[in-house]
Amino acid sequence: MNKNGLFITVTTLLILCWAVFPAQAAVPEHFDISENYYSVYGGPDLNATLVGDNQYSRGDTVTLNLNMMNKGEISGFKSEKDADIGDYADEMLQQSEMQYEAQATTAVGILATLRSDNPNIKVKSGPQEAGTLKQGKESVSPTKFTIEINKDTPAGIYPLTLDLSYQYQNNVQVGGDDFDSVTGLVTNKEVGIWYENKTQTQTINIEVKKEPYFEVTNVTGDLYPDDGGMLYVTYKNTGEETAKDATVRISASDPFSTTDDQAYLGTLKTGDSEVAVFDMGVDETATAKPYSISSEIFYEDSDGHDQTSDTIKVNTEVLEAKSSLHSLPGFELGTGITMALAACFVILRRKKQD
């Protein structure tokens, strides 16, 4: 093929490449297909694993630590052009390209994004940069994502989607013709590297544990300023596991006080309810309005371990102060009249007796 024919062929190939490949895969400035010695098959293969336990409790906000490893490999080479025998510059360029092509398994500029399709699991962290990872290497430090588990989330397995986007070396071309026989180097060597974008997607599973879960289903009791009263609170185990030897403790804060802040609930199976009774005091200056009292339940789980529930709110109300008879208008006047009538009755009775 003459030089004009070769030029036309190469130009046509470049135009076809620009038409077929997207913008991120555009042929680099110094990339000359006619001078490409090799094509490489293979590339990076990232795999992320969750470090530590993947079991969590409903209502938790936790940080997931993901460790990454590049298991990429080169599956083969294809020779595109042989070096001219005796042309030392050409031979050196061919060897140099082979060394560059070996880097095709490196994942460059990894960007990790975690997603949840379940409304009960919220990913609070945005995309995280994870650096560059060579073949066979693990990340120096884990990539971290914070997730929030809704307190009403049923127990079970929840898949999260992890997208790993990065660039990798798709092809390399080296060129030059000035060979230094003393150093054995091509002094005007140019390197064209063709990068492409790639995204890998995998699933990270987390588990919401089966365990007791407590809710307040009913609150009764009349509480008055400077008087107090008995407070009756119904606790229900809405979780999936039994709570043994359960005891509830309330935290009485202003305007409440109590000398009886604990109540024994016993063993609560799934769906069981029990009423706790507390003798509450109320400060005399308490304002009549709704209040919230914190409580927590101590219990033994199915493995025999002592556990403490999350804070459980008890919503109650302080009522208007009881009206005293002594403070009613006309009370003293009414009392005086009654006493006067009584005195008259006694006097009249004595006269009749006389």
Side-chain angles (χ1 to χ4, degrees), residues 38-354:
Y38 300 102
S39 291
V40 172
Y41 302 99
D45 182 15
L46 300 182
N47 182 261
T49 55
L50 182 59
V51 179
D53 194 358
N54 73 331
Q55 290 188 329
Y56 308 102
S57 298
R58 53 174 62 86
D60 280 353
T61 297
V62 296
T63 298
L64 304 183
N65 294 289
L66 301 181
N67 189 51
M68 296 187 195
M69 183 172 184
N70 185 353
K71 297 182 178 180
E73 62 180 15
I74 294 176
S75 56
F77 285 88
K78 179 183 177 182
S79 178
E80 302 289 357
K81 175 181 176 294
D82 293 329
D84 294 333
I85 298 176
D87 186 338
Y88 296 113
D90 205 21
E91 291 176 355
M92 293 301 298
L93 292 175
Q94 184 183 40
Q95 294 177 18
S96 178
E97 182 175 322
M98 173 63 77
Q99 295 172 351
Y100 276 102
E101 295 284 10
Q103 300 175 24
T105 55
T106 299
V108 180
I110 303 168
L111 187 68
T113 304
L114 191 66
R115 296 182 285 112
S116 171
D117 295 327
N118 192 297
N120 286 314
I121 312 294
K122 295 181 180 179
V123 179
K124 309 298 287 185
S125 303
Q128 303 293 306
E129 295 182 358
T132 295
L133 205 56
K134 294 183 178 180
Q135 176 190 21
K137 298 297 184 180
E138 292 187 10
S139 50
V140 177
S141 58
T143 303
K144 300 178 181 292
F145 292 95
T146 299
I147 64 169
E148 182 180 86
I149 304 173
N150 191 293
K151 67 178 183 178
D152 297 322
T153 304
I157 304 295
Y158 292 86
L160 304 176
T161 302
L162 179 67
D163 294 324
L164 299 173
S165 301
Y166 55 87
Q167 288 190 323
Y168 74 100
Q169 179 181 288
N170 178 267
N171 210 339
V172 176
Q173 180 267 322
V174 294
D177 54 13
D178 190 359
F179 179 73
D180 187 336
S181 59
V182 177
T183 61
L185 300 175
V186 178
T187 57
N188 64 340
K189 182 174 68 174
E190 292 184 335
V191 180
I193 300 179
W194 184 349
Y195 285 96
E196 282 195 2
N197 294 335
K198 184 176 180 180
T199 298
Q200 291 183 231
T201 300
Q202 71 174 88
T203 298
I204 303 293
N205 288 322
I206 65 166
E207 181 179 356
V208 177
K209 296 186 294 186
K210 292 182 178 181
E211 56 188 347
Y213 188 73
F214 306 98
E215 294 181 3
V216 171
T217 59
N218 190 43
V219 180
T220 59
D222 296 333
L223 304 179
Y224 297 94
D226 199 26
D227 189 10
M230 303 303 293
L231 187 65
Y232 302 87
V233 184
T234 302
Y235 291 90
K236 183 177 182 179
N237 179 6
T238 59
E240 302 82 12
E241 297 288 340
T242 297
K244 300 178 182 178
D245 294 329
T247 299
V248 60
R249 182 178 66 189
I250 61 171
S251 300
S253 58
D254 188 60
F256 301 104
S257 62
T258 182
T259 57
D260 180 25
D261 63 352
Q262 294 191 26
Y264 183 70
L265 301 177
T267 295
L268 294 177
K269 297 180 181 179
T270 299
D272 284 355
S273 297
E274 192 64 44
V275 178
V277 182
F278 304 100
D279 187 1
M280 305 295 296
V282 182
D283 191 86
E284 63 179 349
T285 61
T287 303
K289 66 174 185 177
Y291 289 88
S292 181
I293 303 174
S294 297
S295 69
E296 55 187 0
I297 294 178
F298 306 93
Y299 64 94
E300 182 182 302
D301 64 19
S302 57
D303 295 323
H305 299 144
D306 292 334
Q307 302 288 353
T308 303
S309 74
D310 293 333
T311 299
I312 309 165
K313 293 296 184 180
V314 178
N315 295 320
T316 186
E317 185 177 5
V318 172
L319 304 175
E320 293 287 349
K322 291 180 179 179
S323 297
S324 171
L325 290 176
H326 297 278
S327 63
L328 292 175
F331 175 79
E332 294 182 356
L333 177 61
T335 301
I337 294 174
T338 301
M339 293 179 66
L341 291 174
C344 292
F345 176 77
V346 172
I347 294 172
L348 291 173
R349 187 174 181 181
R350 286 179 178 177
K351 287 183 177 181
K352 288 182 180 180
Q353 289 176 351
D354 295 339

